[in-house]
Amino acid sequence: KNLKEDIEPGTYDYGIVFEHFIVNEIIRLNQYLKKDFEFSFYRSASGAEVDLIIEDSKGKVFAIEIKSSEVPSKADLKGLFSFKEIRNDAELICVSRAVSKRDLGDITVYPWKEFLDEFFA
């Protein structure tokens, strides 16, 4: 793909770029603000995935799924439900292009900028 081409929202490429942007921002803010978070990801034997697992210095775990959609659905977040089965104490978060913060069962869906502002406050 030509790097000079526009990447359109709703495309596979846009989703990949959005996910990379969010992960890079989290890592950058962690270093800049000296938060000392530990990062990993989750993938089950059946293929369920979570984009980013963050553990803070107190042992609190945040499972973060990144979606470029403005309206992520429960079906988009099946990896978070899978992770909850092995880490019931984890806070489940979806970072997205949503217009406003909302709860989707046990999952909090955040607009990406609001998540970064709150998480790194």
Side-chain angles (χ1 to χ4, degrees):
K1 188 150 184 116
N2 184 343
L3 292 177
K4 293 181 181 181
E5 290 181 31
D6 289 337
I7 299 174
E8 296 294 324
T11 64
Y12 175 80
D13 288 339
Y14 187 91
I16 295 296
V17 170
F18 183 77
E19 181 179 321
H20 284 249
F21 166 71
I22 297 299
V23 170
N24 284 329
E25 280 298 290
I26 290 170
I27 291 170
R28 181 187 69 80
L29 288 167
N30 176 63
Q31 291 173 335
Y32 180 75
L33 299 172
K34 298 179 169 66
K35 291 289 189 178
D36 203 28
F37 293 143
E38 290 187 26
F39 301 108
S40 61
F41 68 95
Y42 167 76
R43 183 177 183 137
S44 71
S46 64
E49 296 182 5
V50 175
D51 296 322
L52 187 62
I53 307 298
I54 300 175
E55 187 169 351
D56 70 14
S57 59
K58 297 174 186 169
K60 183 156 178 66
V61 174
F62 304 88
I64 300 173
E65 184 64 26
I66 302 163
K67 294 294 180 190
S68 62
S69 169
E70 292 180 4
V71 187
S73 68
K74 282 189 175 184
D76 294 329
L77 307 173
K78 62 184 176 189
L80 290 174
F81 294 110
S82 174
F83 187 75
K84 185 77 169 178
E85 292 175 13
I86 63 163
R87 282 299 301 257
N88 192 40
D89 62 330
E91 186 170 330
L92 306 179
I93 298 169
C94 174
V95 176
S96 68
R97 293 186 326 126
V99 175
S100 60
K101 183 177 170 181
R102 67 184 172 112
D103 289 326
L104 193 61
D106 291 338
I107 300 168
T108 303
V109 178
Y110 281 90
W112 69 270
K113 186 167 182 351
E114 185 175 343
F115 168 77
L116 293 175
D117 289 346
E118 283 187 26
F119 198 75
F120 289 98

